[in-house]
Amino acid sequence: MSRSIHRIATAVAFSLVAGTSAADAQTAVQIRVTALSPALGTALTPMWLGVHDGTFRVFTAGEAASAGLEAIAEDGNTAVLAATFGGAGFTTQHTLLGPSGGIFLGGQSATHTFMLDAGNPMQRYLSYASMVVPSNDAFIATMNPTARDLTDGMGNFRNFSFVVMGSQVWDGGTEVNDELEANTAFFGQTMPNTGVDENGVVRLHPGFNPGGRILSSDRFRDGDFTQAGYQVVRFDVSVVPEPSTWVMLLSGLVVLGAMARRRVGGASA
C-alpha cells in the first residue's frame, strides 16, 4: 500500500511538471475590479477590458471622442469600442459586469481571468473603460496605452494593483452636463443618446454642478468625486496560480512520498 502511494505521488509530481512545461505559453491572469466610492457616491457601468501590444489608444485628451468612447461615456455601452478593438486586430478583451445588474456600486467587485502568453507582444498591456454614473458623459479609461504593463519586462506576468482616483475622471465632451434626469444615465434616462450635443473635446471632468440635481439627490449626495482622496475603483492584477503554489504542491508530494517510504522501513523493522 505504501509503495503504491509513493508511486502515485511520484507519477503525479512528474505529470504536474510535464503539464506545467506544456502550458508554459499560457498563464492565467486575473483582473479584479472593485468599486471604491462611498455608499451614496458614484457607480460604474460594465467595465471594458482589453489586452494589446501597447498601440491601442482609447482616447486622447484635447481631441474629440471616438464613436466607441462616446458610446461608453454617454451610455455605458462597450459594444462599439469592442468592435473597434477587434477591428484593429486585437482578440483579447472582455466586458466585466458588475454585481448589480451589470453596475458596480461602491464596495462591489467582479473578476475576469484571461489566458495569456507572455511571449506574445499582443498580450502585454491592459486598457479599461467605464462610464461614471450618474452623469451625462463622465468616464474613466486608460489614456496612455502602455501605462498598465502586465509583465515585468522580462517575459513574466506580474501581480500589481492600482487605484483610479476621482481626479482621474474624464469628461467625454460629447454631451452638455445639464444633469437633467432624462439626459443623465442612472438618474432618470430611459433611452440612450438623449442628451444635448456638446461637440467638445475630452478633458478632465470639472465635477458635478454645485447645487445641481445630482449632488442635491439623497441617493448621490456623496458623489462629489472632485473631493481630495476620492477613490473610484481599484484594479488588482494577479497571476493564478502564483508560481509559489506549484512549488508548495510539488514539495508536498515529495514529503508524501518520503513518508510512504518511512512507513515501509518501519514495518520491515
Side-chain angles (χ1 to χ4, degrees):
M1 179 67 73
S2 297
R3 290 180 180 176
S4 297
I5 293 175
H6 175 59
R7 284 197 298 270
I8 292 171
T10 303
V12 171
F14 277 116
S15 67
L16 283 172
V17 172
T20 301
S21 299
D24 275 346
Q26 292 291 308
T27 301
V29 178
Q30 178 181 276
I31 315 293
R32 175 178 291 273
V33 174
T34 304
L36 299 178
S37 55
L40 299 179
T42 56
L44 293 169
T45 61
M47 183 71 67
W48 175 82
L49 303 170
V51 181
H52 54 89
D53 64 353
T55 62
F56 185 80
R57 188 174 293 276
V58 179
F59 75 99
T60 300
E63 296 185 3
S66 66
L69 180 62
E70 180 177 1
I72 287 179
E74 291 188 6
D75 302 306
N77 176 8
T78 66
V80 182
L81 184 63
T84 302
F85 189 75
F90 302 108
T91 59
T92 308
Q93 62 174 315
H94 180 74
T95 294
L96 184 59
L97 302 180
S100 296
I103 298 294
F104 289 88
L105 302 178
Q108 293 184 333
S109 64
T111 63
H112 178 71
T113 300
F114 289 110
M115 295 304 298
L116 304 177
D117 177 1
N120 184 348
M122 299 283 279
Q123 298 182 346
R124 179 171 177 178
Y125 297 97
L126 173 69
S127 289
Y128 62 87
S130 175
M131 181 183 188
V132 176
V133 288
S135 74
N136 291 95
D137 60 350
F139 71 96
I140 59 169
T142 312
M143 179 172 65
N144 179 356
T146 61
R148 304 301 175 187
D149 192 343
L150 296 172
T151 78
D152 59 6
M154 296 181 288
N156 304 300
F157 289 110
R158 64 190 180 98
N159 300 332
F160 66 98
S161 300
F162 62 94
V163 173
V164 179
M165 305 296 293
S167 58
Q168 296 169 293
V169 173
W170 294 89
D171 187 317
T174 60
E175 186 174 309
V176 175
N177 297 327
D178 56 23
E179 299 184 7
L180 294 175
E181 291 192 14
N183 299 340
T184 306
F186 204 61
F187 194 45
Q189 183 178 350
T190 58
M191 63 182 64
N193 198 27
T194 59
V196 179
D197 289 340
E198 185 177 5
N199 300 314
V201 298
V202 179
R203 64 189 187 281
L204 285 172
H205 202 290
F208 297 133
N209 300 327
R213 292 173 174 83
I214 294 176
L215 295 181
S216 296
S217 166
D218 288 339
R219 171 64 184 83
F220 303 107
R221 65 189 181 197
D222 294 326
D224 183 6
F225 54 80
T226 64
Q227 296 182 77
Y230 196 102
Q231 297 181 329
V232 177
V233 65
R234 184 180 69 246
F235 291 81
D236 296 302
V237 181
S238 57
V239 178
V240 184
E242 296 181 358
S244 59
T245 303
W246 291 106
V247 174
M248 291 175 62
L249 180 57
L250 291 173
S251 298
L253 288 170
V254 171
V255 170
L256 178 62
M259 290 175 62
R261 288 195 298 272
R262 282 199 296 271
R263 289 195 188 98
V264 171
S268 301

